[in-house]
């Protein structure tokens, strides 16, 4: 029996069915976790995020591996698609000061109405939201489409689609959308001091590339590098609202 997990669920006033629904798994799977079976890493991270605790608090036996990660590195996901949905929702829902998105299209976010509603709600309570998407007419977007193997026109169409979907955020106080012409080596999804950094790999779509979950601890930590990159691109980008 995993007493730590049982206690955390009781504290959060959740049961096995609630966890199963949040993670899109069978309730029997959650019951096996409660009985002592250790979940796959992506499920451990999702449960920890859902309960707002550290993974090692729920499964102390994996603590040595967790501590072996570099300072500021919270987790590593093998693919962006492997990140459980609650991780994205908890990331943005936990923002109290700033949300930042840097990508070429981030279409998977734009298509998720629930995430857009979370971002809108956070902006309405004073969270600054900055979204940076690629210029669909720029050569950088075309090149990235070719590099991924989906084609230049397809990538440009994805960006245009995303920009259309993000229009629901136009007019929301605190939300700013800009387009950039930058060669991106990664996409960045930020909520305060938490970052999900999606690596870009030649010949691979961003959805199939790894993602690193970082926490900004100080100016010498790994997260600081990506935050600096975000700021550089933001200062050279153009407001989407002012385009013809």
């Amino acid at each position: 029996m995993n007493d730590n997990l049982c206690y955390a669920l009781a504290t959060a006033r959740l049961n096995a069915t609630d966890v199963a629904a949040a993670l899109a798994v069978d309730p029997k799977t959650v019951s096996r976790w409660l009985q002592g079976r250790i979940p796959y890493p992506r499920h451990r991270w999702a449960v920890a995020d859902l309960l707002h605790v550290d993974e090692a608090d729920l499964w102390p036996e994996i603590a040595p591996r967790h501590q072996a990660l570099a300072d500021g590195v919270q987790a590593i996901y093998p693919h962006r698609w492997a990140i459980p949905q609650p991780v994205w929702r908890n990331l943005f829902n936990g923002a109290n000061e700033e949300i930042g998105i840097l990508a070429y299209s981030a279409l998977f976010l734009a298509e998720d109405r629930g995430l857009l509603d979370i971002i809108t709600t956070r902006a309405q309570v004073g969270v600054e939201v900055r979204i940076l998407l690629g210029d669909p007419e720029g050569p950088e977007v075309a090149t990235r489409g070719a590099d991924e193997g989906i084609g230049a026109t397809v990538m440009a169409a994805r960006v245009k689609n995303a920009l259309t979907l993000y229009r629901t955020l136009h007019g929301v106080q605190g939300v700013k959308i800009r387009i950039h012409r930058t060669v991106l080596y990664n996409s960045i999804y930020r909520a305060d001091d938490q970052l999900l950094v999606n690596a870009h790999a030649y010949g691979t779509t961003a959805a199939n590339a790894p993602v690193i979950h970082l926490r900004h601890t100080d100016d010498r930590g790994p997260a600081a590098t990506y935050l600096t990159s975000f700021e550089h691109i933001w200062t050279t980008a153009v407001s989407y609202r002012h385009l013809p």
Side-chain angles (χ1 to χ4, degrees):
M1 180 69 68
N2 187 331
D3 294 328
N4 292 345
L5 181 56
C6 291
Y7 177 78
L9 285 177
T11 301
R13 297 184 179 180
L14 297 176
N15 56 37
T17 302
D18 297 325
V19 176
L23 273 65
V25 300
D26 193 300
K28 293 181 180 178
T29 299
V30 181
S31 295
R32 286 193 285 270
W33 297 344
L34 290 167
Q35 292 167 8
R37 179 174 294 184
I38 299 177
Y40 290 119
R42 65 189 181 95
H43 287 143
R44 293 199 306 266
W45 302 330
V47 172
D49 282 341
L50 179 66
L51 301 177
H52 301 291
V53 298
D54 191 271
E55 176 191 3
D57 294 334
L58 302 176
W59 295 280
E61 56 269 47
I62 58 89
R65 278 181 287 167
H66 186 277
Q67 293 171 353
L69 295 175
D71 182 40
V73 180
Q74 303 295 100
I76 299 176
Y77 298 91
H79 315 284
R80 193 186 71 200
W81 57 259
I83 302 176
Q85 194 63 17
V87 173
W88 291 105
R89 296 181 184 277
N90 290 337
L91 175 74
F92 295 124
N93 211 25
N96 293 309
E97 296 180 2
E98 179 174 356
I99 289 174
I101 297 171
L102 168 62
Y104 278 129
S105 72
L107 183 58
F108 74 101
L109 290 183
E111 291 177 330
D112 190 323
R113 182 66 200 193
L115 287 178
L116 290 185
D117 287 344
I118 289 173
I119 292 173
T120 299
T121 299
R122 299 316 298 157
Q124 290 172 339
V125 298
V127 175
E128 179 185 19
V129 177
R130 295 188 293 170
I131 300 175
L132 278 164
L133 301 181
D135 184 346
E137 307 300 329
E140 295 79 11
V141 165
T143 298
R144 179 57 192 166
D147 290 348
E148 285 193 2
I150 64 173
T153 57
V154 173
M155 178 61 77
R158 287 173 61 86
V159 176
K160 291 178 181 178
N161 191 11
L163 286 168
T164 298
L165 293 173
Y166 279 121
R167 283 179 183 169
T168 60
L169 298 176
H170 284 195
V172 178
Q173 185 69 29
V175 176
K176 298 177 182 177
I177 300 176
R178 294 183 181 182
I179 64 171
H180 66 87
R181 288 194 172 189
T182 308
V183 176
L184 290 185
Y185 301 100
N186 47 255
S187 300
I188 300 172
Y189 306 93
R190 175 196 185 183
D192 294 344
D193 62 351
Q194 302 291 327
L195 288 80
L196 291 176
V197 179
N198 187 184
H200 291 182
Y202 184 86
T204 301
T205 62
N208 204 42
V211 174
I212 307 173
H213 181 181
L214 301 174
R215 182 169 64 87
H216 180 47
T217 54
D218 56 57
D219 292 339
R220 294 177 296 178
T225 300
Y226 295 102
L227 292 177
T228 300
S229 174
F230 186 101
E231 294 302 330
H232 281 317
I233 297 173
W234 181 259
T235 58
T236 60
V238 178
S239 174
Y240 176 60
R241 295 175 179 174
H242 296 160
L243 293 178

